[in-house]
Amino acid sequence: MFGAFAAYLLAMLPVTAVHAVSGMETSLFVFLIALMAYMIASGIQNGSRSILWAPLIGLLIGLTRPEGNAISLLLLGFAWLCSNKERRKTLIWASLGMYVLPGAAYFIWRAGYYSLTWPLPFYMKV
C-alpha cells in the first residue's frame, strides 16, 4: 500500500528523476528522503523498529539542506499520526534525542561561530 503510494507520488512528478542525479548534494538529499520515507512506511506497515531511527535520518536531511527540515518534520508528523499509542511515545523520545537536541546544538554552535542566524544561502538568495 505505502509502496504504491510512493510510486504514485513519483509518477506525478517525473522530473524528480532528473533532479535525483543533478547537483552536488541533491542525490544525497533525495536518497535520505527516500530512506526516511521507507523507514517510516516499513515501521507503520510491519511494526519494524526502523521507524525509531527515522529522526536521525531527518537530522541528516536537515543538515544536508536547510529546507529538508520541513520535509523531515512532515514525515515525522505522518509517522506519529499513523502509529499506535505506545509507538507514539517512543517516537517522540527518539525524535527529541536524535533530531531536536542535536539540531538545536548545531544551530547554537553555527550561530555563535558564524554570527549568522540563518544559513549562508539564505542571505545569498535574499
Side-chain angles (χ1 to χ4, degrees):
M1 180 173 136
F2 288 105
F5 182 66
Y8 173 75
L9 289 178
L10 284 175
M12 294 306 296
L13 188 60
V15 96
T16 303
V18 173
H19 291 294
V21 294
S22 65
M24 292 171 38
E25 79 285 346
T26 307
S27 55
L28 174 65
F29 185 66
V30 171
F31 169 73
L32 290 173
I33 291 171
L35 179 62
M36 185 175 180
Y38 172 77
M39 292 171 83
I40 289 172
S42 68
I44 292 170
Q45 193 172 21
N46 304 335
S48 169
R49 294 187 56 83
S50 67
I51 194 171
L52 300 178
W53 290 98
L56 181 62
I57 303 300
L59 176 68
L60 295 176
I61 291 170
L63 291 175
T64 303
R65 291 178 115 174
E67 65 269 18
N69 287 309
I71 296 168
S72 297
L73 290 174
L74 283 172
L75 286 171
L76 285 173
F78 176 76
W80 184 83
L81 233 99
C82 294
S83 296
N84 58 23
K85 192 173 185 175
E86 297 82 28
R87 181 61 62 98
R88 284 182 179 180
K89 186 176 181 181
T90 310
L91 187 60
I92 286 176
W93 283 109
S95 297
L96 184 65
M98 287 189 264
Y99 182 76
V100 175
L101 292 178
Y106 171 74
F107 183 79
I108 291 168
W109 171 82
R110 189 189 70 209
Y113 187 80
Y114 292 111
S115 300
L116 297 172
T117 307
W118 302 102
L120 186 59
F122 174 79
Y123 295 106
M124 299 300 286
K125 292 176 182 177
V126 173

